[in-house]
């Protein structure tokens, strides 16, 4: 018996990681019948497209012929032309895609697949769900393939995966509109909640009495820009805000410090809270009684729900992921970024290949999105341009001084400037009062409130701000010595606590030249 050599040889195709669905013997998720029904309904009823235009995209369709047909429908809608069987066929011919669509007969046949457009929105959502599944399979396939490569940087791979996932959710998951009845119900419930707030604060308290009177606290979904020239005390101000929210009101808060290390930030908080000279904290030259004072006064600070992340050159993608994690795990109520100009943008949003102004614009827009998505206030520090120094007069900052991008002013719900007249050698204000130790918070933009100037007290020895009348007796001499009228009280547990009334104490960045930049890998935010 001779072997038949004319039989064709059977070759087995090697499995590929490029398509996991094929590897498992499955076809990609699809709903071709529903695609046909939706396209047929769009050509039957003229108003059907308005119900699904925010749900469906060209990429949502599985078959290539259905993609070009839907594109033709969108073209007609854009040009305000009627959408029916004849106009769609004509538009396909005009686009040179009639043959790709399957010819005029196939387009005509689609209208027989459905009787009406009654369930078109439900069908469209199923098509979108299948499209999302296909996208997830494609991304996981690429990640799997790259993970097998020895040359792949694992952190770049993680960044790519997070960015791809976020793009899918941004493109496909959109919040729908709300009717007036539901909005009114939510608004009245919020008003009733505010009514129960006896102090009038509806947001996260800043701890500064006069400032909270203007803002009612830091409001949800707000992007707040705090800008100043170097050495005005930007970091001091936000550290005070964070300390007051976390210690006095037990609000979980987070700060992303791109300039200073977490230890440097904590040292500033210790100097402020314990009322110890910042130079002594920096050098470690503390006497025995000062060590006891430090331990006693920082007991509450060490238990505060305050989280610090000092990852250098933080990108918007990383920030978004970390904020979501903190919101999910600790329900953070506020986020601070120190400072905006040290952040890097995403490569697909102008971070690379564009100029710095475009990058800052994309960062400020992304910060506003984070504030709205997580429903928390986001406070970002920003540098002012040197135009302030070259200008004559009292050198008060203004909105045009915001550095590198006018988009910061546009995206922010509130823009505040920190200003200390004595820094420029101005010893008296317009009314003849001394400006020694006085700092101002200038509210230059307030989308939901008034524009006012709030005066605070700045104590250079401890590099901190307090309320202007905070129970501290400031001498009229030039020695810089300060006397205090605080009291110690005992708690039920027998541990003394520090009672400062309405006085808020915090450190300040009085000398930015001494700050050491720490470049190290990004760790998860660690609580105090």
């Amino acid at each position: 018996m001779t072997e038949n050599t004319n039989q064709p040889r059977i070759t087995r195709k090697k499995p590929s990681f490029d398509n996991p669905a094929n590897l498992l013997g499955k076809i990609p998720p699809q709903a071709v019948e529903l695609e046909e029904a939706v396209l047929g309904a769009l050509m039957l009823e003229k108003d059907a497209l308005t119900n699904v235009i925010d749900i469906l995209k060209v990429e949502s369709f599985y078959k290539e012929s259905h993609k070009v047909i839907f594109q033709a429908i969108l073209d007609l809608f854009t040009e305000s032309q009627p959408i029916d069987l004849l106009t769609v066929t004509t538009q396909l011919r005009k686009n040179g895609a009639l043959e790709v669509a399957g010819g005029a007969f196939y387009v005509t046949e689609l209208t027989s697949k459905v009787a009406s457009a009654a369930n078109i929105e439900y069908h469209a959502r199923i098509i979108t769900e299948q499209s999302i599944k296909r996208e997830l399979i494609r991304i996981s396939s690429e990640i799997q393939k790259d993970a097998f490569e020895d040359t792949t940087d694992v952190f770049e791979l993680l960044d790519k995966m997070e960015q791809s996932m976020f793009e899918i959710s941004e493109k496909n998951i959109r919040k729908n509109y709300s009717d007036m009845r539901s909005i009114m119900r939510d608004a009245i419930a919020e008003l009733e909640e505010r009514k129960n707030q006896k102090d009038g604060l509806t947001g996260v308290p800043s701890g500064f009495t006069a400032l909270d009177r203007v803002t009612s606290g830091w409001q949800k979904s707000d992007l707040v820009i705090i800008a100043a020239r170097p050495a005005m005390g930007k970091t001091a101000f936000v550290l005070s805000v964070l300390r007051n929210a976390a210690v006095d009101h037990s609000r979980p808060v987070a700060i992303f410090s791109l300039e200073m290390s977490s230890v440097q930030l904590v040292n500033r908080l210790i100097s402020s809270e314990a009322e110890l000279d910042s130079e002594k904290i920096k050098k470690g030259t503390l006497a025995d009684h000062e060590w006891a004072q430090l331990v006693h006064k920082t007991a509450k600070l060490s238990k505060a729900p305050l989280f610090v992340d000092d990852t250098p050159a933080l990108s918007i993608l990383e920030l978004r992921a970390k904020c979501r994690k903190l919101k999910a795990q600790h329900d953070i109520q506020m986020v601070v970024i120190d400072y905006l100009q040290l952040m890097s943008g995403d490569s697909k949003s102008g971070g690379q290949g564009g100029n710095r102004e475009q990058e800052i614009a994309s960062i400020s827009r992304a910060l506003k999105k984070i504030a709205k998505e997580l429903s928390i206030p986001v406070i970002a520090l920003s540098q002012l341009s040197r135009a302030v120094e070259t200008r004559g007069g009292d050198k008060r900052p203004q909105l045009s001084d915001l550095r590198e991008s006018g988009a910061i002013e546009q995206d922010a719900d509130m823009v505040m400037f920190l200003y200390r007249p004595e820094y420029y050698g101005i010893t008296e204000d317009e009314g003849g009062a001394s400006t020694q130790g006085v700092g101002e918070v200038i509210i230059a933009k307030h989308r939901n409130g008034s524009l006012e100037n709030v005066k605070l007290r700045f104590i250079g020895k401890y590099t901190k701000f307090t309320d202007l009348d905070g129970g501290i007796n400031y001498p009229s001499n030039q020695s810089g010595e300060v006397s205090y009228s605080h009291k110690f009280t005992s708690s039920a547990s027998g541990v003394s606590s520090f009672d400062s009334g309405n006085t808020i104490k915090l450190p300040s960045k009085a000398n930015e030249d001494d700050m050491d930049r720490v470049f190290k890998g990004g760790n998860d935010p660690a609580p105090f």
Side-chain angles (χ1 to χ4, degrees):
M1 187 173 179
T2 60
E3 183 180 356
N4 187 0
T5 58
N6 296 326
Q7 290 182 352
R9 295 183 62 186
I10 300 175
T11 58
R12 296 187 180 275
K13 195 174 182 180
K14 291 184 178 181
S16 171
F17 287 117
D18 291 345
N19 194 336
N22 292 337
L23 183 64
L24 300 174
K26 296 180 179 180
I27 61 174
Q30 55 183 288
V32 176
E33 296 84 0
L34 291 181
E35 290 181 10
E36 294 173 346
V38 166
L39 292 174
L42 291 175
M43 290 185 285
L44 282 177
E45 298 189 15
K46 63 176 183 178
D47 296 327
L49 184 60
T50 58
N51 295 326
V52 298
I53 195 168
D54 59 338
I55 302 173
L56 290 176
K57 298 177 178 60
V58 173
E59 298 79 14
S60 303
F61 292 87
Y62 178 70
K63 288 187 69 173
E64 190 66 30
S65 59
H66 295 169
K67 290 181 181 180
V68 296
I69 294 171
F70 187 69
Q71 182 62 61
I73 293 173
L74 290 180
D75 292 341
L76 291 169
F77 180 79
T78 303
E79 298 171 4
S80 301
Q81 298 296 321
I83 299 171
D84 55 36
L85 178 60
L86 294 177
T87 57
V88 171
T89 305
T90 303
Q91 185 65 36
L92 283 168
R93 190 175 288 109
K94 181 180 177 182
N95 294 347
L98 185 59
E99 294 302 318
V100 178
F105 176 76
Y106 181 76
V107 178
T108 305
E109 195 178 37
L110 290 175
T111 58
S112 64
K113 300 289 185 179
V114 63
S116 72
N119 300 318
I120 188 171
E121 187 173 347
Y122 178 73
H123 294 161
R125 294 191 183 279
I126 296 176
I127 294 171
T128 300
E129 289 175 6
Q130 302 305 311
S131 172
I132 293 173
K133 289 180 181 179
R134 293 197 299 273
E135 279 292 290
L136 291 173
I137 291 173
R138 180 187 63 79
I139 291 171
S140 61
S141 173
E142 293 178 358
I143 297 298
Q144 188 179 26
K145 182 177 66 175
D146 292 341
F148 274 95
E149 297 292 335
D150 294 334
T151 57
T152 301
D153 186 287
V154 66
F155 296 106
E156 289 183 1
L157 188 59
L158 282 171
D159 184 80
K160 176 183 176 182
M161 181 180 67
E162 287 187 350
Q163 185 171 357
S164 299
M165 293 296 182
F166 180 75
E167 286 176 356
I168 290 177
S169 64
E170 280 289 289
K171 287 191 298 184
N172 296 285
I173 303 174
R174 294 287 184 179
K175 182 180 178 182
N176 204 354
Y177 60 84
S178 302
D179 60 78
M180 196 62 184
R181 177 178 295 180
S182 61
I183 297 173
M184 284 292 293
R185 184 172 60 247
D186 294 340
I188 291 173
E190 189 172 316
L191 284 174
E192 290 176 349
E193 185 179 343
R194 291 178 180 179
K195 180 183 176 182
N196 298 326
Q197 296 287 342
K198 302 301 181 183
D199 53 9
L201 293 178
T202 58
V204 179
S206 71
F208 295 109
T209 307
L211 184 60
D212 283 337
R213 191 179 298 118
V214 178
T215 64
S216 297
W218 311 109
Q219 301 298 315
K220 294 179 180 179
S221 303
D222 274 6
L223 172 60
V224 181
I225 300 295
I226 299 176
R229 289 294 294 157
M232 285 294 170
K234 296 187 298 295
T235 304
F237 183 81
V238 294
L239 281 179
S240 170
V241 166
L242 290 168
R243 180 263 171 213
N244 296 331
V247 176
D248 294 338
H249 300 276
S250 301
R251 302 285 189 98
V253 292
I255 179 171
F256 293 86
S257 177
L258 287 79
E259 184 179 37
M260 301 170 63
S261 70
S262 56
V263 174
Q264 287 175 317
L265 288 176
V266 173
N267 283 341
R268 283 175 169 260
L269 281 169
I270 291 173
S271 174
S272 171
E273 193 77 6
E275 295 179 343
L276 295 171
D277 194 323
S278 58
E279 283 298 316
K280 288 188 176 182
I281 296 289
K282 184 179 178 180
K283 297 176 182 178
T285 56
L286 298 177
D288 291 342
H289 73 278
E290 290 174 325
W291 277 108
Q293 182 177 335
L294 184 152
V295 174
H296 172 73
K297 291 189 176 182
T298 58
K300 293 171 73 175
L301 183 64
S302 63
K303 299 175 183 178
L306 205 167
F307 302 88
V308 179
D309 188 306
D310 58 1
T311 305
L314 190 68
S315 71
I316 278 295
L317 186 66
E318 293 172 316
L319 176 68
R320 187 185 294 114
K322 292 184 180 210
C323 286
R324 284 175 173 170
K325 181 180 178 182
L326 284 166
K327 184 66 175 178
Q329 294 182 352
H330 304 285
D331 191 26
I332 55 170
Q333 302 296 303
M334 182 169 62
V335 167
V336 171
I337 294 97
D338 182 15
Y339 59 90
L340 190 148
Q341 277 81 10
L342 290 179
M343 292 192 69
S344 60
D346 296 335
S347 59
K348 292 189 178 182
S349 60
Q352 296 175 2
N355 58 37
R356 181 59 177 166
E357 183 174 342
Q358 292 173 336
E359 184 175 15
I360 292 296
S362 69
I363 291 172
S364 66
R365 283 193 298 269
L367 292 179
K368 176 59 182 176
K369 288 181 182 178
I370 292 173
K372 196 170 181 181
E373 177 189 342
L374 301 182
S375 189
I376 59 173
V378 173
I379 301 176
L381 304 189
S382 178
Q383 293 280 20
L384 291 177
S385 67
R386 291 190 177 91
V388 178
E389 312 292 339
T390 59
R391 192 163 52 238
D394 57 9
K395 301 184 186 298
R396 284 178 177 271
Q398 53 195 31
L399 288 173
S400 59
D401 296 325
L402 284 171
R403 186 175 171 184
E404 288 182 310
S405 178
I408 298 176
E409 175 188 347
Q410 176 184 329
D411 297 326
D413 297 279
M414 188 184 301
V415 177
M416 307 168 70
F417 298 122
L418 295 181
Y419 171 69
R420 291 195 292 116
E422 65 177 339
Y423 179 83
Y424 296 108
I426 301 172
T427 57
E428 293 183 351
D429 61 15
E430 297 85 350
S434 174
T435 60
Q436 183 181 4
V438 175
E440 291 185 36
V441 178
I442 303 171
I443 303 177
K445 178 185 177 181
H446 194 185
R447 187 164 286 164
N448 302 308
S450 59
L451 305 181
E452 295 187 27
N453 292 357
V454 177
K455 290 189 176 182
L456 302 175
R457 178 70 63 182
F458 177 75
I459 308 174
K461 184 176 182 180
Y462 300 119
T463 59
K464 65 177 180 180
F465 287 93
T466 67
D467 278 334
L468 193 60
D469 300 316
I472 302 178
N473 302 318
Y474 292 91
S476 57
N477 58 34
Q478 302 296 320
S479 64
E481 293 299 323
V482 179
S483 61
Y484 297 84
S485 59
H486 300 305
K487 295 181 290 184
F488 289 94
T489 59
S490 298
S491 63
S493 61
V495 180
S496 296
S497 62
F498 186 64
D499 181 12
S500 59
N502 293 326
T503 304
I504 307 302
K505 307 174 186 64
L506 65 158
S508 170
K509 190 190 300 181
N511 188 358
E512 294 192 355
D513 294 335
D514 294 335
M515 299 307 148
D516 299 324
R517 273 189 199 161
V518 178
F519 293 94
K520 62 182 181 180
N523 301 319
D524 285 340
F528 285 119

